[in-house]
Amino acid sequence: MAENMIYVLNGPNLNLLGTREPAIYGSDTLDDIAGRLEDRASALGLEVDVRQSNHEGHLVDWLHEAQAEGAKAVLLNAGAYTHTSIALHDAIKAIRTPVIEVHLSNPHTREEFRHLSYVGQAAKGTIAGFGALSYLLALEAAAAL
Ligand code: DQA
């Protein structure tokens, strides 16, 4: 069991953070964010496992794995799958591990197609709009659960 482990799962196009639309998503890379999460997690007595995939099914598999491995929580930035994926919604509902939805941007201030979140309708809570800090705030929330 890995009850001090936090899975940090990232969906499509987040591998391009740093160069992808920096005016919206900032100039930090996913590795930069992972480094900050590792530092803060270690201060909290936790560990993070940061992953990224452009494939929906990988994210589903990793959610199942988080429960099977006894992870404490999952931070999930599902990227655009947030707005399309009933499979991710169902996977979050299918596991008991708490899932915190994370976004760099605030989807509610953007295009209308981003206002619907299938992930948010199943997640324990959502942190969005604070750039890379959203992940660190979500880690604090996970630590407090
Ligand atoms: C995002 C917001 C989504 O709408 C978008 O498709 C992304 C990134 C964010 O972190 O702000 O890929 O999840």
Side-chain angles (χ1 to χ4, degrees):
M1 291 296 257
E3 62 277 349
N4 65 342
M5 177 62 74
I6 312 279
Y7 279 48
V8 183
L9 306 182
N10 294 278
N13 301 306
L14 293 167
N15 54 312
L16 298 181
L17 279 184
T19 57
R20 174 194 181 196
E21 300 188 86
I24 297 173
Y25 298 117
S27 51
D28 291 319
T29 65
L30 194 54
D31 279 350
D32 294 334
I33 294 170
R36 265 178 252 153
L37 284 169
E38 278 158 22
D39 289 348
R40 183 61 190 144
S42 130
L44 291 165
L46 298 169
E47 280 184 68
V48 287
D49 187 336
V50 182
R51 305 182 189 181
Q52 188 277 331
S53 177
N54 294 320
H55 303 276
E56 187 176 12
H58 290 165
L59 297 167
V60 172
D61 288 344
W62 291 340
L63 286 164
H64 298 176
E65 183 190 311
Q67 162 153 290
E69 293 295 323
K72 179 174 172 60
V74 176
L75 314 187
L76 175 62
N77 184 351
Y81 290 140
T82 302
H83 317 298
T84 63
S85 178
I86 296 169
L88 283 175
H89 175 100
D90 284 352
I92 294 165
K93 289 220 155 167
I95 62 172
R96 289 178 304 280
T97 315
V99 176
I100 301 174
E101 179 186 29
V102 177
H103 299 287
L104 294 143
S105 67
N106 179 354
H108 294 288
T109 63
R110 301 181 61 197
E111 303 95 323
E112 191 155 353
F113 62 81
R114 296 184 203 277
H115 296 182
L116 170 67
S117 172
Y118 288 108
V119 167
Q121 288 178 18
K124 174 129 187 100
T126 299
I127 298 180
F130 298 97
L133 181 61
S134 291
Y135 286 85
L136 287 154
L137 294 171
L139 179 62
E140 300 295 333
L145 288 174

